[in-house]
Each structure stands twice: as C-alpha cells, then as structure tokens.
Amino acid sequence: MSQIPFSVATDFEADLPELSAIRSELAASRDHVQLRFHRELQQTRAMRNDRLEAPKLNRQQGVMAEVFKDGVLSYAGTADVSLNGVRRAIAEARATAERLAPHALVRFSKDVRPATKGHYESPGLASLKSMTIQQIDDVLAGANQALKGGAEISQRHAQIELVESESWTLSNAGDDRRQQFALWVVDASATAERAGEFQTRSLNGAHSHCHQGGADTLNVASLTTGCERAAQEAVELLSAENCPEGDFDLILAPDQMLLQIHESIGHPLELDRILGDERNYAGWSFVKLADFGHLQYGSPLLNVSFDPTLRHEYASYGFDDCGAPATRELLIEKGVLKRGLGSLESQERAGVPGVANFRSASWNRAPIDRMANLNVEPGATSLQDMIGMIDDGLMMSANRSWSIDDYRDKFQFGCEIGWRIKGGKIVGLVKNPNYRGRTLNFWRSLKAVGNRENFEVYGSPFCGKGEPSQIIRVGHASPSCLFEKMSCFGRGT
C-alpha cells in the first residue's frame, strides 16, 4: 500500500554532501552572510461527486543567501544547493549590496540580525509517516458520501492538502536554526440547485480548516458531521428568505471573524505597509505611526494577540527569518493600539514596537512583514447569552466574498449563511447575507465577545503581499463577537 511520500523530514545535512565546504565558505566571508535552506513537499488529493480528481504534487528546494554589508541587506536565491550554487548566490547578493550602498535610504544596525540557535517542530510530525494514500482517499470518499443531502445537491467536493516544509538557517555570525512543519488544509462543500438558483455551504468557508500537526489532526468524525450539516444547510437555504436590508445588531461566527481579523486588523497594522513599502501593489494603511500607544482601535472589549506559540494553529513557529524568537504579544489591549506587525528592520525604521514576523514564502523570496497567528482573545459571554441580548438582529457565518479598499478602511463582506434573531431567539435562516462598514467604527461597535468555549481556530493558506508576490500561510482564531447596528443587506440590495 502506497505511503504518503513525505520525504522532507530526512536528515537535511545528509542531503547536502558539500555542507562542510559550504560552512567553510561562510566562515571565510568578510561580510555577514546568512544562508536559509528551504524545501517543501505539497500534495493535494480531491474527490468530486465520488470521483477522484488528478492528484497534485509539488516539490521545491533551494537556498536564499543574504549579505549584510555597510548597513545594507541584499539577497540572491538559487535552486542549486551545491557549493558552486551557494557560492554564486553569495557573490550575487554581495554585488547587489555594493551597488545599493551609495543609494541606501536606510542603513540598519547589527541589532536587526540577532544570532540565534534552536529547533522547532510541528506536533506529531513523525506520525505522518504512518499514513497511506488509501487512508486519505477513504476519508475523501466518506466526506463525499456525507455531503449527499438529497436530490437537490448537484455538486459535492472534498479536498485534503498536506504540506511538509523545512527551513534551516546558518550564518557566519553563529545562527543555526532548523524548523520543520506539518500542515493541513481540509475542505468540503455541497452545492444545492433549484430552478436556476444555487446555494453552496462549506465546512466553515473555503480553505479555512488549516491546522498544524500530525495524523491525529484529521478528525474524521468531525469532518463527517460537518459535511452532513453543510449539505443540509445548502438545501435549506434554497427556501430561506433573502437577508433583510438595514442596520442590525450582528453576531459574526468565528469562521467569519477570521477574515474580519485578517483584513481590518492584520493588514492595516503591518509596519512595512504603514511605511509605504506596499503601496504599489498590496496598498497602504489608514493607521499612522503616531497612532501606536494612543489610537482607540476598538471597544474596551477588544484584545488582539500575535501568537505564533499555539502549536496546532496554522502559522506557529519558533523563530522568524531574521532570527527573532517567536513570542506572544498583544497588539490591541482593551481596544487601544499598542504594537504593530513589524520585524526588527521595520521596528528600527518606524520607532514603534513590533513582533517576530519577518517571513518569506519560500527559498526564492526575501522576508517581509507578515501576519502569523493573529487572534481575538476570548471574552466572557456565551453564544446563547449573546443571542439573548439581541431584540432584532442577525448572525452570519462562513465567508463567501470580500472587498476592502487600499487603506483597509471601508469594507464589504458576504457570508454563506445567516440567521434571523428576534426577541433574543433565532427564528430562521436568511440567504445571501452581507454587511459593510468602516474599520474603526466597526471595531468600536463591539458589544460582546464570546467566551473560551466559543473560541475556534482557523487559518488561510492564501495571504498575498509583496513584489514579487508572496503567498503565505496565516492562522486566525476568535470566538463569536456581537457588533452593534451594522449595515446589512442581501443580494440585489
């Protein structure tokens, strides 16, 4: 029986036969040189309407050389990890640094490159070795069966993406960091059709079930239950009323909070974006450097953490790519903006506190400021009590669409499903639910935060940013949250 072809977790050193010579090359360099080796195996298996789709397998390996010379940082990557390949990459990075030096707008101190040693490993990494392709295909077949919700279900799809990734960083300043990751994305959805109308329900929004861990991460019983619920709700939505238009108290479920956190807290607080580095492509931010320590970002109930230490959350790690140890930090405390999403380089430029978030998507990209695990901390209100606080309102779940401006201020988001709430009780489903607002007004309208029992962990494999573009993995966790008087609407309004 075919084993899942995980090969990354072999001994990295054994796969670099010229490692001793590479170390000598590093030691002989007169400049500060860092080498970040990276390799990754990504495989995707999917089944649609009980038929397996063509599997996808992607392997990559390479090394990024970084040279720090006269306060200037420069990079050169190569897929050739031989001694000659590494030597050429170092020479190219050094030549770039020398060309840039006369024109540098910023010269960094050596504080932006702390020499660190250590090892990080996803929980249960070794257990992936015991899994077989047949086991994965059986899970997909079971999910397809569970998605059968009657004659009106026209499309059923289930997919599992497995990634094993490893990075190893060496430098002539003493860095020696190795990080090994096992990453999962589990997706499933059902589409119901009646008289030309389509309604789709997924587990919790597309690609949101992202986790880090071993074979026990795949909870088959929970997946089956989720698929049965998705199919049932897709059919029920065909008969539901359209979402009403107006200002309503609104509960957002954790699977919609993930996108709200990502777009209206994560991106606006990236320090490189605030400094203008991203304005040609990903955009700018309404947040100013002078806002840190003062701006009332949300209501006093809002506490937001950057926490790459939660081991099963998607974007946990031990160190960022400049060597800063990953630590949990509060970005927003009691509604007040305290800290930005900025690496040691951005912190030195901006003069405000940041976090260990200097991350690259692969060996062929230079690190930039990225989100990792960005979470809304649990509050004290149960979901039932939250519903009981609403006289006339809505609850929405699972993102379906999003739009937000370049400054991360005005936004409009759509969800897969909504529920009407009247007199403190849920009275029925609504379809095509949407809401819109402005970032600060939205977070300042936060009226209640769910307790730890309502805290759910999700993520996304598709956070895009940078020139050249980098797609990176992020984690987001939150309880349900209640917002006061949000502008809501349905399709066609």
Side-chain angles (χ1 to χ4, degrees):
M1 189 172 291
S2 300
Q3 300 292 130
I4 295 176
F6 282 104
S7 62
V8 171
T10 56
D11 187 351
F12 218 146
E13 296 185 39
D15 292 343
L16 296 172
E18 297 179 287
L19 178 61
S20 178
I22 290 172
R23 286 185 184 275
S24 297
E25 185 80 12
L26 266 179
S29 175
R30 62 187 183 280
D31 306 309
H32 181 160
V33 178
Q34 175 178 287
L35 297 175
R36 177 169 47 82
F37 294 91
H38 178 266
R39 57 184 176 179
E40 183 167 302
L41 173 64
Q42 179 179 357
Q43 54 188 320
T44 305
R45 300 190 70 82
M47 183 176 288
R48 184 181 300 276
N49 294 343
D50 301 321
R51 298 188 64 176
L52 278 173
E53 297 182 331
K56 299 175 183 175
L57 187 66
N58 179 45
R59 297 176 189 266
Q60 57 171 306
Q61 176 172 288
V63 59
M64 176 64 82
E66 177 193 272
V67 171
F68 190 11
K69 183 178 178 61
D70 299 329
V72 174
L73 287 154
S74 63
Y75 300 87
T78 177
D80 181 358
V81 296
S82 69
L83 174 61
N84 283 336
V86 170
R87 188 176 281 159
R88 283 194 297 269
I90 293 173
E92 184 178 344
R94 179 178 290 117
T96 301
E98 290 171 348
R99 285 198 307 272
L100 291 175
H103 313 288
L105 296 176
V106 179
R107 294 188 188 278
F108 294 105
S109 73
K110 292 184 177 180
D111 293 341
V112 302
R113 285 297 177 273
T116 53
K117 297 181 179 180
H119 178 248
Y120 174 87
E121 182 177 306
S122 293
L125 179 67
S127 67
L128 292 183
K129 297 285 185 191
S130 65
M131 296 191 70
T132 66
I133 291 173
Q134 187 61 53
Q135 284 176 309
I136 297 294
D137 290 348
D138 289 346
V139 171
L140 294 175
N144 265 247
Q145 285 296 311
L147 289 167
K148 287 182 175 176
E152 291 177 305
I153 297 294
S154 59
Q155 288 284 329
R156 295 168 285 124
H157 186 255
Q159 176 175 299
I160 294 176
E161 177 188 283
L162 290 167
V163 176
E164 191 175 6
S165 179
E166 181 175 9
S167 68
W168 185 25
T169 302
L170 300 169
S171 82
N172 57 0
D175 294 273
D176 191 344
R177 301 184 299 277
R178 185 171 301 187
Q179 305 197 85
Q180 296 171 285
F181 304 94
L183 304 164
W184 294 74
V185 182
V186 180
D187 251 336
S189 64
T191 298
E193 177 184 1
R194 181 190 301 162
E197 179 182 356
F198 296 85
Q199 290 289 337
T200 297
R201 282 288 287 128
S202 62
L203 291 180
N204 293 91
H207 311 296
S208 67
H209 275 258
C210 306
H211 299 285
Q212 190 172 138
D216 61 345
T217 305
L218 188 59
N219 186 330
V220 177
S222 175
L223 175 62
T224 301
T225 301
C227 288
E228 291 172 345
R229 174 183 50 77
Q232 178 182 340
E233 289 177 347
V235 174
E236 291 175 353
L237 282 170
L238 292 173
S239 304
E241 294 184 0
N242 205 34
C243 179
E245 182 175 9
D247 292 341
F248 295 98
D249 286 354
L250 172 64
I251 295 174
L252 294 182
D255 57 13
Q256 173 59 22
M257 284 295 295
L258 87 88
L259 190 78
Q260 193 71 56
I261 296 167
H262 185 93
E263 300 292 356
S264 68
I265 292 180
H267 282 310
L269 298 191
E270 292 163 341
L271 289 186
D272 58 355
R273 182 187 292 260
I274 295 170
L275 289 164
D277 297 0
E278 289 288 317
R279 57 188 167 185
N280 284 343
Y281 177 57
W284 218 332
S285 174
F286 70 90
V287 176
K288 309 300 181 189
L289 293 178
D291 291 335
F292 288 93
H294 309 286
L295 179 66
Q296 190 71 41
Y297 205 94
S299 85
L301 296 173
L302 182 64
N303 294 288
V304 179
S305 64
F306 170 87
D307 192 356
T309 69
L310 295 176
R311 286 173 62 81
H312 285 283
E313 199 166 358
Y314 198 42
S316 293
Y317 50 84
F319 310 88
D320 72 2
D321 286 339
C322 75
T327 57
R328 178 182 181 275
E329 306 288 350
L330 279 181
L331 305 185
I332 298 173
E333 186 173 10
K334 296 180 179 178
V336 177
L337 179 60
K338 296 289 188 180
R339 184 180 291 265
L341 284 167
S343 64
L344 293 177
E345 288 178 25
S346 293
Q347 291 173 52
E348 194 165 288
R349 292 170 62 195
V352 301
V355 295
N357 71 328
F358 202 50
R359 304 172 64 205
S360 59
S362 187
W363 60 267
N364 55 7
R365 294 291 186 271
I368 55 177
D369 290 345
R370 304 308 299 253
M371 291 175 240
N373 296 331
L374 191 62
N375 306 330
V376 168
E377 295 293 299
T381 308
S382 71
L383 178 59
Q384 200 58 45
D385 286 346
M386 210 177 293
I387 294 170
M389 294 166 66
I390 299 177
D391 182 54
D392 185 11
L394 293 160
M395 181 165 67
M396 299 184 192
S397 174
N399 183 262
R400 185 175 64 178
S401 65
W402 68 95
S403 175
I404 190 165
D405 67 25
D406 285 355
Y407 283 77
R408 304 288 153 168
D409 179 12
K410 299 174 183 175
F411 63 82
Q412 176 175 306
F413 296 147
C415 294
E416 292 182 1
I417 190 169
W419 292 266
R420 195 79 164 94
I421 300 172
K422 288 189 175 181
K425 296 180 179 178
I426 291 177
V427 297
L429 288 178
V430 294
K431 60 186 175 185
N432 310 319
N434 304 273
Y435 64 100
R436 57 195 160 208
R438 300 188 65 175
T439 293
L440 292 184
N441 292 341
F442 173 81
W443 290 109
R444 289 170 181 172
S445 74
L446 179 63
K447 189 176 179 181
V449 179
N451 57 22
R452 188 160 291 280
E453 292 179 358
N454 189 228
F455 186 77
E456 297 178 9
V457 179
Y458 298 102
S460 171
F462 299 125
C463 176
K465 188 181 169 185
E467 289 185 286
S469 177
Q470 300 193 42
I471 306 298
I472 210 161
R473 302 170 179 112
V474 299
H476 298 307
S478 174
S480 294
C481 290
L482 170 59
F483 299 89
E484 199 167 18
K485 298 300 179 189
M486 291 301 303
S487 174
C488 302
F489 59 100
R491 180 175 295 170
T493 57

